[in-house]
Amino acid sequence: MNIHSFLADDDQQSKQYQYVLNNTNKVQEQRKNDRSPSTLENNYLRSFALKSAQQGDYTEAIALLTQLIYRHPHNAVDYNNRGLIYFQSGERPKALHDYNTALKLNPNLASAYNNRANYYAACGELAAALTDYDRAIDLNPCHVRAWINRGITWRELKEYEEAIENFEVAQFFGQLEGHIWAERGRTYHLWGDWNCAIADYRRALTQLPSLETTRDVTGSRLRLQIENWLNDLLLS
């Protein structure tokens, strides 16, 4: 199983990140005048943690989120995000603990169910993964990542028709289209419908950024996978 195919969720918004970066000086000044952590400062820490994780500095990202959790021990989102970074850094037991804590604090946090499902899928516990993807979708029917991930899991179980249905539902939301075409193409590939696979792979490549212009590690990895899958088919 290729665990990198599963799409994780974090609850940090990029526009919030830009807003906070633009106000860094204000935060630093506020630190001088007020010992209590402000909402702006907390948002800055969350944003900086996300940036650190994206740059591969998991130790710094975890330290920042741990600081936030110490300040706000009942914030489910911070536990969920720290769990995601633990998972990305290979510390799976800690990731599971944080996902469970997040869901204990907020049983309606769809992204935590999606992330915990990714953990189960990576560990080969596909039935448990499907249960959590189902819960994420029940809570948020527009949760595109959960639809994609559930499709991948059905594919792992060789339930190709179920997988295709999940990818086709995901397409309705107009997000992550390159990923959806890629995963549907891979499903057709494994199912033996090579013509549909080639068509979907080519559609996916038109949606994903080129390797020369992107810092999106997940997108870059997927593009390389698609090119390899497509070459295998064309050579065959």
Side-chain angles (χ1 to χ4, degrees), residues 22-40:
N22 292 336
N23 288 277
T24 301
N25 292 334
K26 181 178 178 180
V27 172
Q28 294 173 339
E29 186 65 28
Q30 198 162 12
R31 283 178 174 174
K32 296 176 183 178
N33 300 326
D34 185 0
R35 293 184 179 181
S36 63
S38 66
T39 300
L40 185 60

Side-chain angles (χ1 to χ4, degrees), residues 35-193:
R35 293 184 179 181
S36 63
S38 66
T39 300
L40 185 60
E41 183 177 0
N42 290 334
N43 288 341
Y44 172 77
L45 290 175
R46 289 187 184 97
S47 298
F48 196 75
L50 176 65
K51 182 181 179 183
S52 298
Q54 290 173 334
Q55 294 175 341
D57 191 350
Y58 298 128
T59 301
E60 176 70 12
I62 289 167
L64 290 168
L65 287 167
T66 300
Q67 182 180 353
L68 282 163
I69 288 169
Y70 178 79
R71 293 177 175 184
H72 305 284
H74 301 296
N75 190 321
V77 168
D78 290 332
Y79 279 102
N80 183 40
N81 288 343
R82 190 177 68 173
L84 173 59
I85 297 170
Y86 274 135
F87 183 78
Q88 291 172 335
S89 65
E91 298 190 68
R92 290 185 182 176
K94 291 181 179 179
L96 180 61
H97 180 270
D98 273 0
Y99 295 149
N100 288 338
T101 302
L103 290 169
K104 183 177 180 180
L105 292 170
N106 182 0
N108 296 318
L109 188 60
S111 60
Y113 283 105
N114 178 64
N115 288 344
R116 191 174 70 175
N118 291 347
Y119 163 86
Y120 287 135
C123 294
E125 300 178 39
L126 301 185
L130 286 173
T131 298
D132 271 1
Y133 291 135
D134 289 348
R135 183 60 177 151
I137 290 169
D138 286 343
L139 289 168
N140 179 8
C142 300
H143 198 303
V144 177
R145 292 169 188 266
W147 281 104
I148 296 171
N149 291 333
R150 193 169 69 172
I152 293 169
T153 306
W154 281 121
R155 186 178 68 210
E156 294 289 339
L157 292 166
K158 301 187 187 305
E159 297 287 348
Y160 299 122
E161 189 170 354
E162 289 279 357
I164 294 295
E165 288 179 3
N166 276 260
F167 298 137
E168 289 179 347
V169 171
Q171 287 178 323
F172 284 124
F173 304 110
Q175 301 172 34
L176 298 169
E177 292 175 302
H179 291 268
I180 297 168
W181 288 121
E183 299 299 352
R184 197 180 78 162
R186 183 59 175 167
T187 304
Y188 280 126
H189 188 165
L190 296 173
W191 204 2
D193 190 336

